[in-house]
Amino acid sequence: MIDFLNAHAELLINLVKTALLLFIVLTVNAYLTWFERKVVAHMQSRWGPHRVGPHGLLQPLADGVKFLFKEDPTPAGVDKFVYYMAPLLALALALTSIAVIPFGPDPIRVFGRDIYLGITDLNIGILALFAITALGVYGVALAGWSSNSKYPLLGGLRSSAQMISYELALTMSVVGVLLMAGSFSLRDIIANQQNTPGLFGWHGIFSWNIFAGPFPQILGFLCFFVAAIAETNRVPFDLPEAESELVAGFHTEYASFKFAMFFIAEYTSMITVSALCSILFFGGWLSPFPAAWTFTHYLPSIILIPFGFWVIWDGIRYETVFGRIILPGIGTAMAAVGIALLLFPTVNEFIQAPFWLLSKILVFLFIYVWMRGTLPRLRYDQLMDFGWKLLLPVSLANVVITAGAILWWGKP
Amino acid sequence: MSVELIVFFALAALAVGGALSLIFQRHPIHSALSLIVVMIALAGLYLLMGAEFVAAVQIIVYGGAIMVLFVFVIMLLNAGVEERTNMSKLAGYAGIPLALALTSFLAAALTRSSDAVQASAATGTAAPTKALAMLLFQDFVYPFELTSFLILVAILGAIVLAQRETSR
Amino acid sequence: MIPAHYFIVLSAILFGLGVVAFIFKRNIISIFMSIELMLNAVNLAFVSFSQTWGQLNGQIFVLFVIVVAAAEAAVGLGIIILIASNRQSLNVERVDLLKL
């Protein structure tokens, strides 16, 4: 038994990592929907979900149960194979893109084996993500076409035309970062940002790609972020799937579980894009503070302990009995984790990198949700004009200027 | 039976299965989907050989742009199932053996030419993108510029063809 | 390690299947797709030769083939759309005005 485990250790470790990451991503997806509904609601001066479980925390569970038990009709005249395959394709591609993202630099040593955080590190990391994004167009186009109805067809065609238009600007805006890093691999890009001296020799926030180098990649970041929002069909670029426009666009004829698959695919690609933004332009898992300031290593504990106590205090005064039990429990767990980090310095050091990466991902997810709550949507011809006439030339100009700057001043 | 060999046979079976499906499917959209499967299988084979940049370009350009164009055209033209036509019997009875003969001639000729290299393994060293870029922009810069001109001509041609529809 | 001629034989098989599809299909778009299949088979042969002899020229040529296939697909599909609107059918047997 032990020999079998030892012989196939690599495979088993990868399998366990994949299953764990899948579970974590799906849970984060579910709570991302809760986060979005709460934040958009508070921006609109209302409460959002707050009945199902304390502060609406069990709302994703209720939604999941609804998706499982709702009737799942198949319209007449659809092309059965393509109709069933399109949401599967979209979901599979979105979940595959999580495999390329690294979550931490140092491995965990277990039984003499190094387990790196993140499933793999490809030499062509960024290109693999672009390949997956390119294939994602099919999920939308085939869903729209196979539904045998005019609204989905139009929505699908528009949505896929939008996606392939913004794909160009997306890939071009990253080339500046690739020129500075000299490699496609995501770990190399972060390592390059670690070694860059940045402005005034400060290694913290000023060595990130957005501020450092011969040409700060601010233009590249803006182009990337806007193009990525268009790629994931989110507000303000969600005309093809908005409720008031084309009924529901390409997923009109999809009910319960198949719609849930599209839903999960969209939120997962949001998470991937946020991770990419933080890795490519904002230093990934690097701390914004210079390495000499070791007191900043206590930041996770400084955040967790007071927040845990506040959750306990809020939970004690909650209206329902269930909330009065659960919320203090969650608060205690958070405070306990914070105190444990203070007591075990090696774990604290290890947790720094994933902590910063996850915080940056959270900031970008908040910006995504913020834009959903506040911005109106673009009309379709305005959308296509913006993509081809503004975003693509600007990202090309960014490539040319970055290349010129590197040739003139050399990489630092 | 190493893992590489198993992966090779799996990907090869996927590619050949996709090509057969392209022939035997009656609706063009299913043929297009089969071709996409073939392209992804080929990208997997390129990865197996160590040509990772070409694999990525194959998926991004071929699978993600050219085939999207095909799928769009099939959707726009509302291509239906192919009708049954009376195809000439000669094509049926002579075509397939001749195609088999062509395949075996090709395989034999190409294999014989590579035998001279002592049947070297086809999982060579990984091709770094930097070396490809050096080659492309130093030795092959003239064909590179020509292909950019070719793409410009293709764009102009496509625009002219599309315009001729609406200007009548 | 996989011997090189495995890849070559696979490339020849795919090319043969492309030729069969080209001959037997009646839909213009399917015929065009069989041309793409043949180009892909040739790409596979190029890459396997490039990796066998350790020279990168084969992969450079594959990049050029992909680019030319893209340009050809764009113009070819434009022509196909025009033919379809002129003859109201996607069957090659209907596009036979030049036949005797």
Side-chain angles (χ1 to χ4, degrees):
Chain A
M1 177 68 177
I2 307 285
D3 294 334
F4 175 76
L5 286 180
N6 267 336
H8 298 269
E10 297 295 325
L11 188 64
L12 285 176
I13 291 177
N14 277 334
L15 277 177
V16 169
K17 260 201 281 192
T18 310
L20 197 63
L21 197 60
L22 205 63
F23 178 67
I24 294 177
V25 165
L26 289 176
T27 312
V28 170
N29 257 328
Y31 279 95
L32 189 59
T33 60
W34 173 84
F35 181 65
E36 169 166 13
R37 288 170 72 170
K38 274 297 219 192
V39 169
V40 170
H42 281 279
M43 283 179 182
Q44 295 170 349
S45 297
R46 56 186 173 90
W47 283 113
H50 72 291
R51 290 207 184 281
V52 190
H55 290 301
L57 278 172
L58 290 182
Q59 181 71 40
L61 186 65
D63 282 341
V65 169
K66 175 191 84 171
F67 279 136
L68 280 176
F69 286 117
K70 207 166 152 185
E71 178 196 359
D72 199 345
T74 305
V78 301
D79 189 333
K80 285 250 171 35
F81 176 66
V82 181
Y83 182 76
Y84 284 120
M85 192 205 58
L88 276 176
L89 185 67
L91 184 64
L93 287 172
L95 288 176
T96 310
S97 59
I98 302 273
V100 194
I101 297 178
F103 287 104
D106 304 316
I108 313 177
R109 287 204 69 87
V110 170
F111 299 124
R113 287 186 200 282
D114 277 338
I115 304 181
Y116 282 91
L117 294 176
I119 295 186
T120 173
D121 179 43
L122 299 173
N123 277 343
I124 45 162
I126 274 283
L127 276 188
L129 276 165
F130 289 150
I132 294 172
T133 311
L135 289 177
V137 179
Y138 286 117
V140 170
L142 292 173
W145 176 82
S146 69
S147 299
N148 196 28
S149 157
K150 48 184 183 298
Y151 291 123
L153 182 64
L154 282 178
L157 281 176
R158 279 187 175 182
S159 195
S160 39
Q162 167 189 325
M163 283 169 87
I164 55 180
S165 311
Y166 282 87
E167 208 178 291
L168 285 171
L170 190 79
T171 50
M172 277 289 143
S173 51
V174 173
V175 176
V177 169
L178 296 177
L179 284 173
M180 286 165 63
S183 161
F184 283 124
S185 155
L186 287 170
R187 283 184 192 263
D188 285 349
I189 293 177
I190 302 182
N192 179 62
Q193 291 178 66
Q194 193 167 21
N195 298 334
T196 315
L199 291 177
F200 317 127
W202 275 13
H203 270 262
I205 194 173
F206 291 110
S207 66
W208 292 351
N209 266 336
I210 197 171
F211 292 125
F215 183 65
Q217 293 293 310
I218 302 183
L219 215 53
F221 165 65
L222 288 173
C223 288
F224 180 79
F225 195 54
V226 173
I229 298 181
E231 270 294 309
T232 48
N233 280 336
R234 293 276 300 180
V235 181
F237 297 106
D238 74 338
L239 188 83
E241 64 172 30
E243 293 94 31
S244 54
E245 302 290 336
L246 279 172
V247 187
F250 63 92
H251 49 69
T252 311
E253 298 287 346
Y254 284 89
S256 79
F257 197 61
K258 300 197 273 288
F259 174 71
M261 287 201 265
F262 277 123
F263 208 51
I264 297 178
E266 177 175 326
Y267 280 87
T268 311
S269 41
M270 258 171 73
I271 298 178
T272 309
V273 162
S274 307
L276 266 184
C277 276
S278 49
I279 289 178
L280 291 174
F281 295 99
F282 284 90
W285 54 62
L286 299 173
S287 154
F289 305 110
W293 297 2
T294 48
F295 59 85
T296 55
H297 288 197
Y298 297 118
L299 207 56
S301 305
I302 296 179
I303 294 181
L304 275 176
I305 298 180
F307 190 56
F309 283 141
W310 180 78
V311 170
I312 296 177
W313 180 70
D314 178 69
I316 293 179
R317 306 175 313 146
Y318 201 71
E319 18 184 43
T320 67
V321 179
F322 187 62
R324 277 199 287 271
I325 305 176
I326 291 288
L327 282 181
I330 297 178
T332 322
M334 279 197 231
V337 167
I339 296 178
L341 284 180
L342 280 178
L343 292 177
F344 296 108
T346 46
V347 179
N348 200 17
E349 289 308 312
F350 177 73
I351 214 87
Q352 286 300 311
F355 166 72
W356 281 115
L357 183 63
L358 291 174
S359 331
K360 291 175 199 174
I361 294 180
L362 203 61
V363 167
F364 280 110
L365 286 174
F366 177 70
I367 297 181
Y368 252 110
V369 174
W370 187 11
M371 291 177 83
R372 170 173 177 169
T374 48
L375 291 177
R377 58 177 65 99
L378 288 179
R379 212 174 58 223
Y380 187 66
D381 57 328
Q382 292 172 332
L383 200 153
M384 296 300 265
D385 271 353
F386 184 69
W388 287 102
K389 294 185 191 169
L390 185 66
L391 222 51
L392 185 60
V394 166
S395 47
L396 280 174
N398 179 39
V399 171
V400 170
I401 297 178
T402 308
I406 292 183
L407 274 179
W408 191 262
W409 283 298
K411 276 194 271 192
Chain B
M1 206 57 167
S2 62
V3 178
E4 288 175 349
L5 214 53
I6 299 179
V7 173
F8 169 75
F9 278 120
L11 288 172
L14 197 61
V16 172
L20 284 171
S21 164
L22 179 100
I23 300 177
F24 288 120
Q25 293 285 353
R26 294 200 323 227
H27 200 297
I29 197 89
H30 297 148
S31 303
L33 293 178
S34 321
L35 189 57
I36 296 172
V37 166
V38 170
M39 287 177 182
I40 296 182
L42 284 181
L45 284 171
Y46 295 158
L47 271 179
L48 191 63
M49 282 195 267
E52 34 193 33
F53 185 69
V54 174
V57 168
Q58 161 103 350
I59 298 188
I60 297 178
V61 176
Y62 238 130
I66 299 181
M67 290 313 296
V68 169
L69 200 56
F70 271 99
V71 167
F72 263 37
V73 168
I74 295 175
M75 289 199 281
L76 283 173
L77 292 181
N78 219 0
V81 181
E82 285 190 14
E83 10 179 285
R84 287 242 153 246
T85 56
N86 12 339
M87 129 178 90
S88 97
K89 296 287 183 205
L90 182 65
Y93 289 137
I96 296 190
L98 282 177
L100 276 176
L102 171 69
T103 306
S104 26
F105 272 135
L106 266 180
L110 290 175
T111 314
R112 199 143 305 156
S113 76
S114 80
D115 256 358
V117 204
Q118 304 293 329
S120 334
T123 16
T125 54
T129 312
K130 202 174 229 178
L132 265 179
M134 296 295 241
L135 207 58
L136 187 64
F137 290 113
Q138 289 177 347
D139 298 336
F140 291 96
V141 68
Y142 182 56
F144 175 73
E145 301 294 337
L146 274 184
T147 49
S148 59
F149 186 64
L150 175 74
I151 295 179
L152 178 67
V153 168
I155 294 177
L156 289 173
I159 293 180
V160 164
L161 284 173
Q163 259 200 351
R164 214 192 294 170
E165 286 183 4
T166 53
S167 69
R168 12 185 100 195
Chain C
M1 291 302 201
I2 308 174
H5 53 266
Y6 280 30
F7 288 99
I8 306 295
V9 168
L10 176 65
S11 161
I13 293 177
L14 285 176
F15 191 81
L17 285 174
V19 170
V20 168
F22 187 82
I23 294 176
F24 287 119
K25 298 292 260 184
R26 288 283 164 261
N27 196 324
I28 293 187
I29 304 182
S30 300
I31 294 179
F32 207 40
M33 284 195 279
S34 62
I35 298 179
E36 299 292 332
L37 180 61
M38 288 193 263
L39 283 173
N40 268 310
V42 165
N43 278 348
L44 179 65
F46 269 123
V47 175
S48 54
F49 280 132
S50 148
Q51 290 301 93
T52 309
W53 280 303
Q55 293 183 344
L56 288 177
N57 294 345
Q59 296 181 32
I60 300 283
F61 204 77
V62 166
L63 292 179
F64 286 134
V65 167
I66 292 179
V67 167
V68 170
E72 162 208 4
V75 176
L77 287 171
I79 296 178
I80 287 178
I81 294 182
L82 278 182
I83 291 180
S85 66
N86 263 339
R87 307 292 295 165
Q88 269 84 40
S89 159
L90 281 174
N91 197 344
V92 280
E93 293 183 338
R94 301 274 155 87
V95 189
D96 57 354
L97 288 176
L98 275 180
K99 245 185 179 172
L100 289 171

